Amino acid sequence: IMAAKRMILSVGSGDGSQQAAIVQSGHHNIISTFFDREQDVNAKYKSSKDHIALLRKKSTVLFRVDATKLHDHHALDGKKFDIILFTFPHTGVPNFTNGHKGPNPESIEGNKQLIRDFLKSAQNILANDGEINITLKTSAPYDKWTFPDFAEYEIEPKSQYSFNSQLFPGYNHRSTKGHVNVVNNGRAKTYVFGRMTNEESGCPSSSFTLSMDFSAMDDYDVEAFITEMLSASQNSKCNVLDIRRQFPEAIRPDTRQLNRVLYGMESSNLLRRGPPKGTSQKPTWKLSGK
């Protein structure tokens, strides 16, 4: 990114904070794209107006851009990019829902398809020596998001490294739906893809193998799960044990961690504490805005 002449395309740009950090570092050859309309982006993220204003002043901003149809977009067709960024892609379908003991299958399959279709489209506008960077969390359920068989692609995996958000001062990871103020990145990794360098043989030239490492849910993952679960729940009286039972068994937090998160969310005005139900002495919880 420090090489100022390199052309960067950012896909699914969230609130624009990562892209603004790139521009403020002195790199103006960037096109920042958003899936939503501008008014929808601003409605979801309070900070987006300032970021977008900066991006407009010093670079290019596009709205209503589908990450799976980049090569068909009139403003991108014919261009070649040195770096294509997709940081924390997500369809917006909840990772966990009531009725499923584990992660939501619809979310897993939808996000796997999103990544497959994004890579297939992005390879058409990638410079010969360019790279595609996809950054993902590694906690559940993201460990279920597998990459495609690259035998059908013109690109191949090159490397992976731990994502360092400090390289982008002021960057905040925001949820796709905007219902969580800031999402913790956890042990996020960036996966790098580039053009196959041994095309004549039809075999990938690199011995590198992608790996999706599993890590336990941290407090921020637990908070995101609680928010999604209570948003979808028809039961307005859930205590800590009710909430804990909604977690898939493999990643179920203990009551100590869960209580820490619940009371922390109350302190942040995300949850309201209610009276116990029945003979229980445990308080019930509901979202502040529900």
Side-chain angles (χ1 to χ4, degrees):
I1 291 174
M2 297 304 292
K5 291 185 178 180
R6 303 196 80 185
M7 283 295 300
I8 300 175
L9 174 66
S10 172
V11 179
S13 299
D15 69 347
S17 57
Q18 182 187 27
Q19 299 67 32
I22 293 173
V23 168
Q24 287 178 316
S25 74
H27 194 111
H28 298 171
N29 292 328
I30 179 173
I31 298 178
S32 304
T33 70
F34 300 80
F35 177 75
D36 293 314
R37 299 176 302 169
E38 183 173 3
Q39 56 265 44
D40 296 329
V41 173
N42 291 333
K44 285 198 292 186
Y45 312 115
K46 294 180 180 179
S47 57
S48 62
K49 286 186 179 181
D50 291 339
H51 297 318
I52 291 170
L54 173 68
L55 292 172
R56 272 211 177 98
K57 185 177 179 180
K58 298 186 176 182
S59 62
T60 302
V61 182
L62 300 174
F63 295 93
R64 300 298 291 157
V65 177
D66 188 335
T68 67
K69 299 177 182 178
L70 300 171
H71 61 296
D72 288 333
H73 195 282
H74 65 90
L76 303 177
D77 184 32
K79 286 184 168 61
K80 296 293 182 181
F81 294 92
D82 300 297
I83 303 174
I84 301 177
L85 304 174
F86 203 171
T87 307
F88 300 112
H90 202 287
T91 62
V93 175
N95 291 330
F96 301 95
T97 58
N98 289 338
H100 293 291
K101 292 184 178 180
N104 182 2
E106 182 183 352
S107 178
I108 292 173
E109 291 306 314
N111 282 296
K112 287 167 63 175
Q113 189 66 49
L114 170 62
I115 290 173
R116 287 195 293 266
D117 292 345
F118 160 70
L119 289 170
K120 189 161 289 187
S121 177
Q123 68 183 5
N124 291 291
I125 55 174
L126 183 67
N128 287 334
D129 60 347
E131 60 183 48
I132 300 170
N133 293 356
I134 300 179
T135 300
L136 299 172
K137 297 182 70 173
T138 55
S139 57
Y142 306 95
D143 59 309
K144 305 293 185 185
W145 297 12
T146 55
F147 289 104
D149 178 1
F150 286 94
E152 301 178 359
Y153 289 73
E154 299 172 9
I155 55 175
E156 63 184 355
K158 297 292 186 181
S159 64
Q160 65 186 44
Y161 56 88
S162 296
F163 177 67
N164 183 6
S165 61
Q166 294 181 351
L167 294 174
F168 310 98
Y171 167 59
N172 287 311
H173 176 188
R174 305 288 187 178
S175 68
T176 303
K177 290 189 174 182
H179 65 284
V180 178
N181 289 335
V182 178
V183 179
N184 182 269
N185 298 327
R187 301 174 189 173
K189 285 190 175 182
T190 296
Y191 301 87
V192 182
F193 308 87
R195 293 207 175 278
M196 289 187 178
T197 54
N198 192 16
E199 295 180 0
E200 291 184 1
S201 68
C203 298
S205 60
S206 174
S207 60
F208 172 76
T209 302
L210 286 175
S211 64
M212 298 289 282
D213 300 328
F214 174 79
S215 62
M217 297 183 86
D218 59 26
D219 286 3
Y220 294 93
D221 293 319
V222 173
E223 178 180 313
F225 180 94
I226 292 171
T227 301
E228 290 185 358
M229 189 276 290
L230 291 180
S231 295
S233 176
Q234 301 299 317
N235 182 5
S236 60
K237 294 183 178 181
C238 295
N239 63 29
V240 63
L241 298 181
D242 297 324
I243 294 171
R244 186 171 183 268
R245 280 191 287 267
Q246 296 299 320
F247 282 82
E249 185 173 353
I251 58 171
R252 187 172 291 160
D254 59 34
T255 52
R256 179 182 299 179
Q257 180 186 17
L258 196 50
N259 274 318
R260 180 174 67 245
V261 173
L262 289 168
Y263 284 97
M265 293 176 71
E266 181 188 30
S267 298
S268 301
N269 295 318
L270 298 174
L271 289 183
R272 284 188 296 168
R273 194 184 341 172
K277 59 180 181 179
T279 59
S280 172
Q281 296 182 347
K282 302 182 185 303
T284 54
W285 300 94
K286 64 187 300 184
L287 294 175
S288 294
K290 193 171 181 181

